C-alpha cells in the first residue's frame, strides 16, 4: 500500500528539520529556529482550546510562565535535575488549569475572555511580587542547561533538535487527538454546545480536560524556554505574550494544526524582520490581528486548505 | 484612622476615573452587547491629547479639553466604521480579537507619535488642597469628582429625557423591535461607540494631571474600568458608578494596608470573584448571566 | 380526565410524563402536563407557537430540570439528569432550529452521534491502539449505514451546513439515530421543507418506526402529523388541552378554538 498523500508530510517535515539542523551554521539562526519551535508548542496548545473547542483564552502566558518558573525554582532552589523538574512543571500547570478551569470555563464569550485575562494578570503579578521565590521583576538567573548523560543540550544545535523532536511529537499528538472520537466531540462543542450535549458529550468536563491539556503544552514550552535562555523574568509571560499566542493561532488559522506551525513561524520571524523598525512592531501586530479577523476570520492557512480540500474531493 | 480616611479619599478620586471608564463600557455593552477591549486606549488617547494640546501647544484649557474629547470621539467613530461595521462574522471570539488588535494598534501608534517617555501635567487649577476631616483632597481630585458626577448625571438625563437617549435604550432592549418602530438601530450603535469613546477620553483628560501619561497607560486603566463595570453590574449606569468608586477605595485601602505590589491584583481578583459568583454584579437583585 | 390511570406505571409505557411544570421567570411555559407514550408508537405533540412543546422536549432531554413533576423513562425517574446522561438512557432528539456541527462534514456529524455508543478517550486517541482503531472503523461503518438509511450518502463528504435545509433535517435525524435511541424526539422536522421533502420525511418516519423506535413528533404540518401519529396530545399555553387518536383530535372543539383563536 502506498503512503497516503496526507501522511507524506510526516516524512517531509522531519527531513526538513534534520536538514535545517545540518546546514544552518549560524548560531543566531539556530536560535531563531528554536524559538519557532517553542512558540509552535504554545500555539498548538492554545489551538486545541481555542481553534477546536472554541474557548478563548487571553491568559495562556500564565501556563507558559508556570512551566518556566516551576522548573527554575525546582532546579535552582531545590537542586532537582531538570528532568525531574519537568513532570513537576507540567503537573503544577495542569493542576492550576484544573482549579481555574472549573469556574472559568463556565463563562462564555466576552466573559470568558475577561476571566482568562484576569487570571493571566494575577499570575503575572505573582511572578513579579513573590520575589523570594521568583526573583521578582528583575528576573530569575542561573537556570541550568539541559543534558542527558553525555549529550549536552547547551549547544544551539542539540537544543534545536530537542525542541523540534518535541514539537513533532506534539504535532502528532494533536493531529491524532483531533481525528478521533474525542476530537470530534471537541469540535462539536465549538459548533453547538447544546447539540453536543444531546449527543451525550459532557461538554464541561471535556472543556476542562482540553484546557488542562493545552496548559500542559504551554508548560512544556515554558520548560524548554527556561532551560534554553537560562534567564526568565515576568516580562516574558505578560499580557502581550498571551496576545501573541492568540495571534499565532488566529493568523495560522484556528482549527488547523499546520496553521499553528505557520502562525508561530510568522510571528517569531516578524519581529526579526521588523528589527530595524522595532517601534512598528505593535502597530503591525495590531493591524494584522484586525485585518485578518475582519477579512479572513478563518485565518490564512484555513482559506488555502479549504481550496485544497475542495480540489481533493473533486478528484475523487 | 486618619490614614484610612486619607486612603478612602484618594480611593474616591481614582474610583471616579474607573467609574467614568466603566460607564463607557456599560453604554457600549447596552447598545451592542459588545465589550471593547480597546476602551482603555481611548483613555490614553484622551490623556495624551491633552498633554499635546494643553501641555505642549498651550491651547487654553477649556478649548483643549473640548478638542481632545471631540478628537477621540472621531477616533471612536472611525473605529466603529472601519473595524466593527466591516466584520463579517460577529462571533465574540472574532470581536474580542479585533478589539484587542485595535488596542495594540492604538498603543503602537501613540508610541510612534509620543515615544516611550512619560509626560505630566499640572492640575487644572492651582487652588490649595481641601481639608476633609484631616484628609487632604487635592484640587485636581475635586475636579475629577465633580466632572465625573456631572457627567453621569448628564448621561442619566440624556437617557431618560431626550428622544435620542430613549431611542438608544429601546435599541439596547430590543434591536429588532426598535427597528420596526423606525429607530435607526445602526446609527444608535455608532452613537454608542462615539459616546463610549468620548467617555474614555474624559477619563483620560481628568486623570492626566495626577498620573504619568505615556503610550501604555491605557490598558491597565481600561481593564480596571471593566472590573468596575462588572463589580457594579455591566450595563447599568449607576452600577458602573458605584462599582468604580468601590474598586477605587478597595484598591487604595489594599495598597495602604498591604503593599503597593498587590494593587493591580486586587482589581483582577475582584473581577474573577464577580465573574464566578455574581456575573450580574453586586447591585443586581439576582445573578443574571447575559451570555 | 384519564390522568389518574397514568400515575401507576404500565410496563408497556416507554415514557411517562407526570404533572410536569416549568416556568421561566414569570412565564409559565408548562403547567401540570401529564401523558404516557406506549412503546413502539408515534406520539404527535401539537399546539400553537409558544405552547411549550420545545420546552417539554428540553425537560425530557435534561436541558432544564422541571420545577414540578416527574419523568419516567422505562420506569426510571430521569428528571434532573444532565443532558449528556439522558442520551445514554436511550433518548435522542433533533432541534427545531437545526443545530448541526457546521465545522464538520455530514459523515462526521453522524459519527459524533455515535459518541455515547463508543468509549475511547484521550489516551486511546493518541495511542491509536488496535482496539481504538477498530472502534473508529465501527463508528464510521455505522455512520455510513445511517447516512444510507436517510438517503444522504451522496453528501457524506460535504460540509454539513452546505447541504439544503431539507437534507440538514434528515442529517439531524441520522445523527440522533446514531445514539441508538429507544425514544426519538423530533422537533418540527418538516419546518422549511417542501412538499416532496415532507413526503420523504413521512416515509423515513415510518421506516424508523419499523425499527421499533418510539417517537414523539412535534409538527405543524397537520396532514403529516395526523397520518403518522398513533396518538396526539395538544398543548396550549403550557397546558394539555386534549389527547386522543388523530381522528378524535381533528374533530375536537377545544383544539379548533386553540388553533383558530391564535392563528397568524
Ligand atoms: N430558555 C427559555 N428562557 C425563557 N423563556 C423560554 C425559554 N424557552 C422557552 N421559553 C418560553 O416558553 C414558552 C414556550 O416556548 P416553546 O416551548 O419554545 O414553545 P413551542 O415550542 O411550543 O413553540 C415561550 O413563551 C417561550 O418564550
Ligand atoms: Mg418549538
Amino acid at each position: 500500500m502506498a503512503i497516503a498523500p496526507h501522511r507524506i508530510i510526516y516524512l517531509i517535515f522531519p527531513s526538513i528539520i534534520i536538514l535545517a539542523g545540518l546546514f544552518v551554521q549560524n548560531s543566531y539562526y539556530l536560535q531563531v529556529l528554536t524559538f519557532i519551535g517553542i512558540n509552535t508548542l504554545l500555539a498548538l496548545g492554545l489551538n486545541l482550546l481555542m481553534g477546536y473547542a472554541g474557548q478563548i483564552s487571553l491568559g495562556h502566558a500564565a501556563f507558559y510562565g508556570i512551566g518556566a518558573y516551576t522548573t527554575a525554582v525546582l532546579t535552582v532552589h531545590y537542586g532537582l535535575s531538570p528532568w525531574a523538574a519537568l513532570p513537576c512543571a507540567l503537573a503544577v500547570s495542569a493542576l492550576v488549569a484544573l482549579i481555574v478551569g472549573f469556574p472559568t470555563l463556565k463563562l462564555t464569550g466576552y466573559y470568558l475572555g475577561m476571566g482568562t485575562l484576569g487570571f493571566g494578570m494575577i499570575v503575572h503579578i505573582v511572578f513579579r511580587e513573590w520575589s523570594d521565590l521568583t526573583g521578582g521583576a528583575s528576573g530569575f538567573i542561573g537556570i541550568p542547561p539541559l543534558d542527558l548523560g553525555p549529550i549536552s543540550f547547551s549547544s544551539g544545535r542539540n537544543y534545536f533538535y530537542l525542541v523540534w523532536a518535541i514539537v513533532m511529537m506534539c504535532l502528532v499528538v494533536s493531529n491524532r487527538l483531533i481525528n478521533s472520537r474525542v476530537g470530534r466531540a471537541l469540535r462539536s462543542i465549538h459548533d453547538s454546545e447544546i447539540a453536543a450535549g444531546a449527543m451525550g458529550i459532557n461538554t464541561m468536563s471535556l472543556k476542562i480536560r482540553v484546557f488542562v491539556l493545552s496548559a500542559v503544552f504551554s508548560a512544556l514550552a515554558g520548560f524548554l524556554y527556561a532551560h534554553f535562555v537560562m534567564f526568565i523574568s515576568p516580562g516574558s509571560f505578560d499580557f502581550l505574550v498571551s496576545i501573541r499566542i492568540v495571534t499565532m493561532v488566529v493568523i495560522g488559522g484556528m482549527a488547523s494544526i499546520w496553521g499553528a506551525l505557520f502562525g508561530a513561524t510568522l510571528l517569531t520571524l516578524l519581529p526579526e524582520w521588523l528589527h530595524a523598525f522595532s517601534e512598528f512592531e505593535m502597530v503591525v501586530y495590531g493591524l494584522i490581528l484586525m485585518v485578518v479577523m475582519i477579512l479572513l476570520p478563518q485565518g490564512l492557512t484555513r482559506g488555502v486548505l479549504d481550496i485544497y480540500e475542495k480540489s481533493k474531493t473533486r478528484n475523487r | 484612622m486618619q490614614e484610612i480616611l486619607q486612603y478612602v479619599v484618594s480611593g474616591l478620586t481614582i474610583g471616579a476615573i474607573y467609574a467614568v471608564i466603566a460607564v463607557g463600557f456599560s453604554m457600549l455593552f447596552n447598545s451592542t452587547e459588545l465589550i471593547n477591549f480597546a476602551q482603555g486606549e481611548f483613555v490614553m488617547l484622551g490623556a495624551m491629547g491633552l498633554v499635546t494640546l494643553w501641555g505642549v501647544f498651550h491651547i487654553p484649557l477649556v478649548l483643549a479639553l473640548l478638542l481632545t474629547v471631540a478628537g477621540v470621539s472621531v477616533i471612536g467613530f472611525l473605529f466603529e466604521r472601519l473595524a466593527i461595521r466591516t466584520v463579517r462574522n460577529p462571533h465574540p471570539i472574532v470581536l474580542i480579537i479585533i478589539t484587542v488588535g485595535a488596542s495594540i494598534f492604538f498603543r503602537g501608534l501613540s508610541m510612534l507619535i509620543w515615544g516611550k517617555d512619560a509626560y505630566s501635567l499640572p492640575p487644572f487649577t492651582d487652588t490649595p488642597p481641601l481639608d476633609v476631616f484631616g484628609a487632604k483632597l487635592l484640587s485636581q481630585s475635586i475636579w475629577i469628582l465633580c466632572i465625573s458626577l456631572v457627567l453621569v448625571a448628564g448621561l442619566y438625563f440624556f437617557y431618560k429625557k431626550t428622544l435620542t437617549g430613549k431611542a438608544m435604550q429601546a435599541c439596547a432592549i430590543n434591536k429588532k423591535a426598535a427597528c420596526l418602530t423606525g429607530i435607526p438601530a445602526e446609527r444608535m450603535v455608532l452613537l454608542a461607540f462615539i459616546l463610549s469613546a468620548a467617555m474614555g477620553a474624559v477619563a483620560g483628560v481628568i486623570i492626566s494631571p495626577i498620573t504619568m501619561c505615556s503610550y501604555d497607560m491605557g490598558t491597565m486603566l481600561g481593564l480596571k474600568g471593566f472590573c468596575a463595570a462588572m463589580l457594579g453590574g455591566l450595563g447599568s449606569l449607576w452600577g458602573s458608578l458605584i462599582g468604580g468608586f468601590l474598586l477605587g477605595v478597595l484598591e487604595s485601602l489594599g495598597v495602604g494596608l498591604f503593599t503597593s505590589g498587590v494593587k493591580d491584583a486586587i482589581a483582577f481578583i475582584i473581577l474573577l470573584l464577580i465573574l464566578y459568583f455574581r456575573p450580574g454584579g453586586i447591585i443586581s437583585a439576582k445573578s443574571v448571566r447575559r451570555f | 380526565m384519564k390522568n389518574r390511570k397514568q400515575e401507576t406505571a404500565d410496563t408497556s409505557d416507554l415514557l411517562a410524563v407526570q404533572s410536569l411544570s416549568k416556568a421561566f421567570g414569570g412565564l409559565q411555559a408548562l403547567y401540570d402536563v401529564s401523558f404516557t407514550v406506549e412503546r413502539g408508537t408515534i406520539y404527535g405533540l401539537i399546539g400553537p407557537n409558544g405552547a411549550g412543546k420545545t420546552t417539554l422536549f428540553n425537560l425530557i432531554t435534561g436541558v432544564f430540570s422541571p420545577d414540578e413533576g416527574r419523568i419516567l423513562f422505562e420506569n426510571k425517574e430521569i428528571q434532573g439528569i444532565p443532558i449528556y446522561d439522558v442520551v445514554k438512557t436511550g433518548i435522542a432528539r433533533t432541534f427545531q432550529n437545526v443545530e448541526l456541527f457546521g465545522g464538520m462534514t455530514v459523515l462526521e456529524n453522524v459519527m459524533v452521534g455515535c459518541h455515547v455508543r463508543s468509549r475511547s478517550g484521550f489516551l486511546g486517541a493518541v495511542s491509536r491502539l488496535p482496539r481504538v482503531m477498530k472502534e473508529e472503523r465501527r463508528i464510521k461503518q455505522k455512520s455510513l449505514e445511517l447516512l444510507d438509511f436517510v438517503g444522504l450518502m451522496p453528501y457524506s463528504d460535504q460540509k454539513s451546513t452546505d447541504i439544503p435545509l431539507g437534507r440538514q433535517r434528515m442529517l439531524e435525524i441520522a445523527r440522533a439515530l446514531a445514539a441508538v435511541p429507544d425514544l426519538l424526539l423530533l422537533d418540527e422536522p418538516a419546518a422549511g421543507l417542501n412538499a416532496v421533502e415532507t413526503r420523504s420525511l413521512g416515509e423515513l418516519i415510518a421506516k424508523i418506526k419499523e425499527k421499533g423506535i418510539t417517537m414523539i413528533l412535534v409538527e405543524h404540518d397537520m396532514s403529516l402529523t395526523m397520518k403518522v401519529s398513533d396518538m396526539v396530545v395538544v398543548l396550549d399555553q403550557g397546558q394539555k388541552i386534549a389527547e386522543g387518536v388523530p381522528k378524535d383530535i381533528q374533530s375536537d372543539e377545544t383544539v379548533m378554538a386553540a388553533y383558530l383563536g391564535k392563528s397568524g
Side-chain angles (χ1 to χ4, degrees), chain A residues 117-142:
Chain A
L117 189 160
F119 160 72
M121 288 284 181
I122 292 171
V123 171
H124 177 247
I125 293 169
V126 170
F127 291 154
R128 204 183 60 202
E129 297 301 321
W130 196 352
S131 11
D132 296 347
L133 204 62
T134 64
S138 49
F140 200 125
I141 47 170

Side-chain angles (χ1 to χ4, degrees), chain A residues 104 110 114-115 125 129 250 283 286, chain B residues 95 97 101 226 261 272 276 291:
Chain A
T104 308
Y110 301 100
M114 277 296 181
I125 293 169
E129 297 301 321
V250 168
V283 178
Chain B
L95 289 170
I97 296 171
F226 178 78
L272 289 190
Y276 294 165
F291 289 96

